[in-house]
Each structure stands twice: as C-alpha cells, then as structure tokens.
Amino acid sequence: MLKRQGIVAALVVGLAGAVAWACGPMFPNQLLDERAATLKYVPQNSFAFEAMHLLPATDKLQSQESPRYGDGAKDDDAEAKSLGVSASQLSRIKTLRALDHGDAAYDQGKDLPEDLRAYTAGAVDYTRGDTDKAATRFEQVLALPTAQSSLRSVWAAYMLGRIHAQQANEHASDPDAFQRERAAAAKAFQLARTRAVDGASDTQGLAVDSFGEEARLYLYSHGKQCTWADLYGVAEQDSGNGTADEAGERNPGFDAKCAEGISADDFKRAITLYAAQAGHGSDGAVNSLAAVADFSMRHPTLMGALIDNASSQRLLVAYALARMDGPSYDTTSASPRNKIDARLPALVDAIEKRGVDEVQAADRLASLAYEVGHYDLAARLVNKSSGPMAEWVRAKLALQKGDLAAANAAYAAAVKAFPKVDDPHAVVEPSNTHLITGEQGVLALARGEYVEAMGHLYDAAQAVGGDGNDYNAIDEGVDAGMGIGYANDASYMAERVLTVDELKSFVDARAPASPAPSQDKQADGDGRGQLPLADNLRWLLARRLMRAARYDEARAYFPKDDDPRVAATDDSGKTQPSNLRTKAAAYATALRDSKHAWSDISKAQALYTASVIAREDGMEILGYEQGPDFSDNGGSFQGGSGQAPKSLKQAYVTDGERQRYADSVAKPDYRFHYRYVAADEANQAADLLPPRSQAFAAVLCKAAGWMLEGPPDYEDHYQFYGDAAPSQPSERMRRATTLYQRYVKQGPYVAWAEDFGSNCEEPDFDRARALKRAQQVAEVRHVARRYFPHALAACGLVVVAMAIWLVRRRRRKTAV
C-alpha cells in the first residue's frame, strides 16, 4: 500500500547511494524525490495516534509508565515524591516493609496516617504471599472515611483488584469461581479509577494502569489467560502466513491457539478498556491494541464479529491502514508492484455490507477504500464526512482521476480544517498537517504555480520547526522511516526553481531575519544548524545574489558579521566571527577593482584577491545550498538533498520547472563550483601579468593547487561515494594540467615549480610592477638603438629642408 513506509521505500531508491555512507548524516526523505508516490500516498495517521484517539479521556487521570530504558536512580526526596509521601514517611515505610508480617508492621506504624499504616501492613503480607490478609488490610483502607484514605485508597483498590485477578487465574478451570473473582477484580479496578477521579493520590498512575489490568481479565480461553506472545508474538515471527499449528511449531514458547477460544464479546470488552487506557496516553495500551488487532485481522470470523462495535471497528481500520501492506507503486507506472493483502478489501467489504450509515470514522474507512481501489465507496464515504482527513482523501480521489484543480481545492479545504494544537478530538496528527501542506506544495509545483509551491513547502518546514526538516521516524514499529525533508524541498524551490527576483520578493515578505543571540552562545560546528529556517533562506538568497553579481543587494541577507550562530572555529579551536558581510563586500570590491584599476597589474592583483576569497570563503558567500556544492551539510557529503537532472524526468514535472532548473545551474556545474570560479579568476589575473614574472607563476600555481585539492574525481557530481570512478581524468584534473602547461610554456623558472600546485609562493605584485617598468624601459631602449640612424638621417633632412625654405623666403623678400 502507498502508506508511509511505501513512500520511504520509493524515496530511498533515489538515495540508495547514501546508504554506503556509513559515517554520514541521516538524510530525510524529500517529497519531490518521488512525486507520484507522494501524491498517491494513502492518507493515514500513525497507529499510535489512532489508538490514543479511539476513546479520548474525559477526566484528568495521567499515565505514569516507566521510560523504556528506566529513569535512573532516585534520591530519597524524588522517591518520596513519586510515592506521594514525605521523606520521613518514606523512611518509616522502608523500615516497616522489612518486617516479617503485616501485623507487626501495623503495630509499629502508629506514627503514620491510618490509610498509609494499613496499606503498608497489607503490602508486607502481599510480599510474603499471604494474599488473604493483604486483601483484608486493603479493604480496611477502603473502609476509612474519604478524608482519611486519600493517600492510599487508589493503591488499595488497585492491589485488591490484582489479588482477585490472581485468584481468577487460579480458578480459571472453575467457571463459577472464575466469574466471581473476575467480577470482583473488575469492580476493584473500577473503584481505583473512581477514587482517583475524586481526588485521591495516584502518583504512580495506577488508575490508568487499572484499565489494562481489567482488560486482561477478558483474555481467557479454555481456562488459560492468553499472553501478548499468544496474540502478537506469533505474528511477528510468522507475518500472518501459515496456520496456527505451523506457527506454534516454529515458536514453541507461544500457544498459537490460545486466543482462538476468546469470545468476540470478551475481545470487545478488552478493546474498549485498552482504548480507554490508550486515551490517557498509555504506550503499553497501544501495544496491546496492536496485538489484539493483529490477531483479529488473521481470523476473518472474529474480524466480522468485531465490526459491529464502534471502537473495535475503528481499531481494525486504523490497524489495516497503518500496519498492513497494500500496493506499492512504481512511480513511472500506475500499476502496483505487489498484490494487496486480501484481508484489507475483506475488511472494507465486511463493513460496507453493514451499510454506510453504520460506519464509524467514515473518513478513515474512505482512506482504506481508496487504498484497495474501491474508489466509488471512498467517494460515498467522503461525502458523508467532513474535516481534514476527508478532504485529504477527496484530494487523492481527484488526483486518481487526473483532476488537479479539484485536488488543489480539496487540499485547501483540508488545510483550512486543521485542528487546533492539542485538540483531543483531532482527526489528523500534527505530522500529517505538515505532510498535507507539503503535498499541497508538490501539487502546486505540478500545476506550474512556482511561488505558491514554495509557500506551501516553506509553511510545512516552518511548522516542523528547527531547520525545517523532520528527522523523526515516520511511525513506530514496522512503519519506521527517516522523516521528511520539507526544508530541503523548500530550498530546492528557492535555489533552482524560483527566479532571483521571485525569491527576493518571497524572502522580503515571508522570511524576516531573527535577532542574533548573545555572544556567549557560539555556533556548534556547522553554524547553519542553529539558524532558524528563515535566516537560512535569507543566506541562500544572499549567495544567489552574489552569483548573479548583485553584490550591493546581497549584503543585507547575509548573517551579521558578529552573529555567534555562524561563528567559525580556527585551527586552535577558538571561535572567530564569520564576518560574512565583510567578506562578501571585499569580494565585490575586488571584482570591481579588477575592471576599473589604472594598470593591468592592479587589475590582476584585484582578480587574485577575489580568487582567494572565492576559494577560502566560497562555500559561505557563493556556494549552492544543494548540488553541486551542498552547503547545507558544509560540503561534507555529495548528495542527500535537492534534485538531480534525472529526477526531472519523473511525472508531475513541468517543462517550466525543467527550464528554470537549467537556467539556475551552477557555472561550471561541478562539485564545489566556487573553486573553479576561483581558479578561473586567478587564470584571468595571469592574463594581465608579465609572463616571466614570479607573480604570473604564483597565481597559476595557486589556481592549479585549488584544482588538485579536490573534490573527488567524479565527473558527474550526482554520483555517490562507492561508485566507480570515471576512466577519463576529471575536469578539475584537466584544468590543473592546463594551468601547469601554461606555466611551462609562458612562465619563468622558479625553484618551487617542481611541486607545482603544492608549494606555491604568494604572488609578488610589486616585483611584477618593477619587472613591467623594466620591460617597458628596455623596450624603449631597444627601439631607440634599432632606429636611431634612421631617425638621425631624417632629422638631418628636415634641417636641410628648413634651411632651404628659409633661404628662398629671404630671397623673395629681397626681390620685393
């Protein structure tokens, strides 16, 4: 089925190479990686969310389940608080609990409140195995007036229920005794909840736990209480295939047939109680419901008997959606790659036969009907429903028909109907509000609405918080995934799809700069991880403006020079200001000077200055957020975000997006493209320098060194580590070779040329100027020596001619 793990499976194909990066970061999946899979995704909540919303709590009882890995040792004060007593009372209780029998504890506990005294005595008896005396003590607590039993009445009722539950288990083969003890246990557990609701102390969450204890009273079959392993453990080993006998043979610790003797009515009671416990936030109850649902879905007769109960029907639909396999799709084809689990349509058909009016949570069943291809039923159910889940399904049905406009309207309606934060009656979980908004962005992009698509993806990323990527597992258990990279998708839109002006307008309207924190809050490694999403987007825009030579506009979008969130760490481990605005301004000034300086050598010096800045700070002031530079991870990893050209061959990609992608490509389109920019600027500086100067050799040496430094020799910067290197030299190696050959052909001999590109001197532009002047003087002298006789003869002729002219002029005057 196209559930969340279906999306994960489809998207991971696009990131398969990243799996080889054993030491790399965890890259979240991107909605734009597999757009057909994204838009075909079956609307659903996680099973945990649905289980916790089957019967929302109507009281303030709290679950107090222990953390999965324990909560560590507690000091006396913390332990006393967790038990609802004072530190001195805790000390007395520990002393009394060490006695041999309850009567002694009761006699010596006169300094304790009466309910605490009697309960402690009962606890001693219970620990020693005397459950009859313990039950008497617990009943003694419950018989006290309400004001005198507030400390331990919940505890006493709960333990009394435990005792009767144990006795029910001991008399399971005697129907009358079993029914009597089960009823007594259920009554005691219900009393524990009543006392807690009335205000009695329940620091251990026993009232909520009593739902689960009471539910277990109804999981008996043929005189035996069935365990989780009997219900669910076999399924984990057997995956629901094969007979119960076969499963039991493979898993001898499980009684695969145990639960088959539990009546449908007892299952319904257990489901209702577990649902109530889950509604109070119990993770254990969620697991219990999963076990019951799994067993029920493997037994068609039981499944059919359960769907006439509201909670049971909703449970089975939720489990089928979130935990059972449906079709997964090849994104280049509408055909499913595997068959639908036959139990899914069987569940849909069974519920449909009861009549649409009898459906519980019609929007969820509509989603399940959509998943199994019952589109007409899904449409009828959606028309009987309202809210974000129903509109989400409506959007999917419209997409299935190819009606993008109707789908867009349904998505808008779903977003409008989002529940308020912490709404106990919410029908979609918070992560799904992000996903719906993100899918809306994918659809807008498919419709050619680029700025709108950017807005939706940015909204989803903003709602996630942090850097805008959701790194949490998508769902528990078999649904575990790698999260969703909403910010990565938004960054792709910002960098490769929107024009610079569109992005600037968007940022000005939607992404204000956040105030920098105090200086003592330094960046931790890669500073961008500490910047809010809006500031990261502004930084991305700043680099786009720099690449577009719009330097004056870019400055304001860089983080401030002294922003500690982007502070750099020097070789000594000390943090230094990033000075990004200053560096960007220096780069712009150097490029301007390279065009307007008075002399060629000054222009060359300015170009070299720009090239050094581009090499040393290019990632921060010129780098692409995603490919080819991957500034989003500091350039450490090649891939993991953005879209490669092959991705644009998939469905739901417009020609307009492809053209915009091509227009925004890096120039040159190689990993760490700014290094190539730096090398080109140094090479241009060499064009303006005397070829026989040390500066000429030095700038070429520096440029070659920048090429030799890396990145890895992959022609296609979308290849992942672990792939075979190309057979031909890489572009950077070709450029390094060309630079060296130019030096050999034109440059002077320098001692350090033996390791050209490795041990380069800094260019000495003053010596280059001196050499230039010397060359100019030498040229003048050469010209003078070569052409002096001719010039002297010419001067003589001019003098003779002038003399003749003067003589003739005087004769004329004399004749007159």
Side-chain angles (χ1 to χ4, degrees):
M1 89 190 215
L2 258 178
K3 59 211 301 177
R4 293 190 176 195
Q5 63 264 41
I7 288 185
V8 171
L11 299 187
V12 167
V13 171
L15 294 175
V19 176
W21 301 349
C23 298
M26 192 277 288
F27 296 110
N29 299 303
Q30 301 172 130
L31 297 180
L32 297 176
D33 285 347
E34 298 285 347
R35 303 181 195 187
T38 295
L39 294 178
K40 288 176 183 175
Y41 165 66
V42 176
Q44 64 188 272
N45 295 308
S46 67
F47 179 75
F49 177 88
E50 290 288 2
M52 289 183 175
H53 285 76
L54 291 174
L55 288 177
T58 57
D59 52 53
K60 296 182 179 179
L61 298 180
Q62 297 290 322
S63 175
Q64 297 291 337
E65 295 176 343
S66 299
R68 179 177 297 181
Y69 302 107
D71 53 1
K74 295 180 179 179
D75 58 30
D76 288 345
D77 289 339
E79 184 179 2
K81 183 178 181 181
S82 71
L83 297 175
V85 297
S86 66
S88 61
Q89 288 173 335
L90 174 62
S91 178
R92 287 291 294 132
I93 291 171
K94 288 182 176 180
T95 300
L96 297 176
R97 289 292 298 268
L99 297 176
D100 292 334
H101 54 84
D103 290 341
Y106 187 77
D107 290 341
Q108 297 182 32
K110 296 178 181 179
D111 56 330
L112 294 176
E114 183 60 23
D115 61 339
L116 190 56
R117 177 188 181 192
Y119 180 84
T120 302
V124 172
D125 287 329
Y126 183 84
T127 302
R128 299 294 186 271
D130 192 344
T131 55
D132 290 337
K133 291 189 69 174
T136 300
R137 291 295 186 186
F138 296 145
E139 289 171 348
Q140 180 181 344
V141 174
L142 294 171
L144 293 170
T146 302
Q148 297 179 28
S149 62
S150 61
L151 282 177
R152 285 295 182 264
S153 62
V154 172
W155 302 51
Y158 179 84
M159 290 304 300
L160 194 59
R162 289 282 300 274
I163 291 172
H164 284 297
Q166 291 174 15
Q167 292 174 347
N169 192 44
E170 293 170 1
H171 296 88
S173 59
D174 182 345
D176 292 336
F178 172 74
Q179 292 292 342
R180 181 177 64 253
E181 292 299 333
R182 181 167 74 171
K187 182 178 180 180
F189 288 134
Q190 292 162 14
L191 178 60
R193 297 194 289 273
T194 299
R195 291 296 182 96
V197 169
D198 290 342
S201 174
D202 184 26
T203 56
Q204 294 288 298
L206 299 177
V208 173
D209 192 60
S210 71
F211 283 115
E213 293 292 336
E214 186 177 349
R216 295 179 67 237
L217 296 172
Y218 299 101
L219 298 180
Y220 278 84
S221 171
H222 306 301
K224 176 185 176 182
Q225 187 176 43
C226 301
T227 66
W228 267 27
D230 299 330
L231 289 169
Y232 194 48
V234 173
E236 292 183 320
Q237 300 292 330
D238 185 50
S239 301
N241 299 317
T243 66
D245 287 336
E246 292 171 344
E249 291 174 2
R250 284 192 296 274
N251 303 280
F254 305 138
D255 184 352
K257 290 187 175 182
C258 179
E260 293 178 1
I262 302 174
S263 70
D265 286 341
D266 280 351
F267 265 121
K268 292 174 186 176
R269 294 188 185 98
I271 288 171
T272 299
L273 288 163
Y274 280 136
Q277 185 183 15
H280 287 83
S282 169
D283 292 330
V286 172
N287 292 329
S288 298
L289 288 169
V292 171
D294 179 84
F295 179 84
S296 302
M297 289 300 294
R298 288 185 284 115
H299 294 79
T301 301
L302 175 60
M303 179 187 72
L306 292 179
I307 60 176
D308 64 354
N309 174 272
S311 296
S312 300
Q313 183 187 119
R314 286 189 58 186
L315 171 66
L316 296 182
V317 171
Y319 186 82
L321 274 172
R323 292 290 186 86
M324 296 180 67
D325 290 334
S328 56
Y329 287 87
D330 181 344
T331 56
T332 62
S333 169
S335 301
R337 290 201 298 260
N338 58 279
K339 294 181 179 179
I340 300 172
D341 189 319
R343 293 172 292 174
L344 299 184
L347 176 61
V348 173
D349 292 341
I351 297 175
E352 184 181 14
K353 287 179 181 178
R354 299 188 72 254
V356 175
D357 292 336
E358 298 297 323
V359 171
Q360 302 295 324
D363 51 359
R364 273 75 156 188
L365 184 61
S367 184
L368 186 58
Y370 162 77
E371 178 179 12
V372 300
H374 292 192
Y375 301 124
D376 291 340
L377 174 60
R380 282 189 285 132
L381 291 168
V382 161
N383 290 333
K384 290 179 60 64
S385 309
S386 60
M389 179 65 76
E391 295 299 337
W392 197 6
V393 177
R394 195 188 309 278
K396 301 296 181 176
L397 292 171
L399 286 167
Q400 189 269 332
K401 295 179 179 179
D403 191 343
L404 301 190
N408 186 57
Y411 272 118
V415 171
K416 188 175 181 180
F418 279 168
K420 295 180 179 179
V421 177
D422 297 328
D423 182 352
H425 301 288
V427 297
V428 291
E429 58 190 321
S431 62
N432 273 339
T433 64
H434 311 152
L435 181 57
I436 292 171
T437 304
E439 287 184 11
Q440 191 179 16
V442 176
L443 178 59
L445 181 56
R447 285 161 53 85
E449 299 168 348
Y450 306 117
V451 176
E452 290 81 357
M454 172 68 191
H456 295 315
L457 291 168
Y458 181 75
D459 287 342
Q462 281 281 62
V464 168
D467 68 354
N469 289 326
D470 182 359
Y471 298 98
N472 296 319
I474 290 180
D475 194 5
E476 73 286 349
V478 296
D479 295 347
M482 296 188 295
I484 298 179
Y486 298 107
N488 287 353
D489 286 325
S491 293
Y492 163 73
M493 292 295 303
E495 188 162 66
R496 301 306 304 272
V497 180
L498 267 60
T499 65
V500 175
D501 288 328
E502 287 171 342
L503 178 60
K504 185 174 182 299
S505 296
F506 183 91
V507 168
D508 289 342
R510 300 285 308 277
S514 65
S518 59
Q519 291 297 316
D520 60 340
K521 295 183 178 180
Q522 300 293 344
D524 181 13
D526 181 11
R528 65 177 49 255
Q530 300 206 359
L531 282 178
L533 178 67
D535 292 87
N536 272 332
L537 187 62
R538 295 176 66 86
W539 193 355
L540 185 155
L541 170 61
R543 298 196 302 274
R544 280 201 73 178
L545 289 167
M546 290 292 289
R547 295 195 297 268
R550 295 165 63 170
Y551 308 120
D552 293 338
E553 296 173 80
R555 177 181 172 82
Y557 297 97
F558 280 107
K560 292 183 178 179
D561 284 352
D562 59 351
D563 191 331
R565 295 171 295 184
V566 292
T569 303
D570 60 22
D571 294 337
S572 66
K574 295 181 180 180
T575 55
Q576 302 293 339
S578 64
N579 295 325
L580 292 180
R581 293 188 177 186
T582 297
K583 292 173 180 177
Y587 181 72
T589 299
L591 288 180
R592 291 191 184 102
D593 290 346
S594 72
K595 297 179 180 179
H596 304 295
W598 284 98
S599 68
D600 284 348
I601 293 181
S602 294
K603 292 177 181 179
Q605 187 172 7
L607 271 171
Y608 176 72
T609 299
S611 72
V612 171
I613 296 173
R615 171 59 190 91
E616 294 180 353
D617 302 296
M619 181 67 83
E620 292 75 22
I621 67 172
L622 298 171
Y624 274 70
E625 182 77 358
Q626 298 173 343
D629 302 326
F630 298 101
S631 176
D632 55 2
N633 64 57
S636 299
F637 296 92
Q638 183 175 332
S641 64
Q643 301 299 310
K646 61 185 178 183
S647 174
L648 301 189
K649 297 177 182 179
Q650 63 177 304
Y652 297 104
V653 178
T654 64
D655 289 338
E657 180 185 348
R658 295 187 183 97
Q659 184 59 54
R660 286 167 173 249
Y661 183 88
D663 292 343
S664 59
V665 70
K667 298 175 182 178
D669 190 16
Y670 296 105
R671 189 179 178 201
F672 300 161
H673 90 286
Y674 54 86
R675 294 188 182 183
Y676 294 86
V677 171
D680 286 344
E681 289 169 345
N683 196 30
Q684 292 170 28
D687 294 341
L688 301 173
L689 291 168
R692 308 303 295 177
S693 66
Q694 179 270 356
F696 177 87
V699 296
L700 291 179
C701 182
K702 290 285 188 179
W706 296 335
M707 290 290 92
L708 292 173
E709 288 173 357
D713 292 334
Y714 298 135
E715 277 295 306
D716 182 350
H717 58 253
Y718 295 102
Q719 290 178 301
F720 294 111
Y721 292 116
D723 293 346
S727 58
Q728 299 298 318
S730 66
E731 174 64 17
R732 70 177 184 87
M733 291 303 297
R734 286 196 294 267
R735 294 195 180 206
T737 300
T738 299
L739 291 165
Y740 177 67
Q741 290 174 343
R742 182 182 182 188
Y743 159 73
V744 170
K745 183 178 181 180
Q746 300 177 321
Y749 168 80
V750 289
W752 38 266
E754 183 176 350
D755 293 320
F756 198 80
S758 298
N759 298 310
C760 309
E761 289 185 355
E762 282 296 320
D764 189 334
F765 293 102
D766 289 336
R767 286 172 58 190
R769 289 187 179 90
L771 177 60
K772 182 73 171 180
R773 287 194 296 270
Q775 288 177 339
Q776 290 172 339
V777 170
E779 181 66 20
V780 170
R781 288 176 178 173
H782 172 73
V783 170
R785 284 195 300 268
R786 181 174 181 179
Y787 297 103
F788 180 74
H790 303 286
L792 185 61
C795 288
L797 291 174
V798 170
V799 171
V800 171
M802 286 294 296
I804 293 172
W805 179 77
L806 289 173
V807 170
R808 290 179 177 178
R809 188 169 180 269
R810 288 176 181 172
R811 287 177 178 176
R812 289 192 195 100
K813 288 182 178 180
T814 303
V816 173

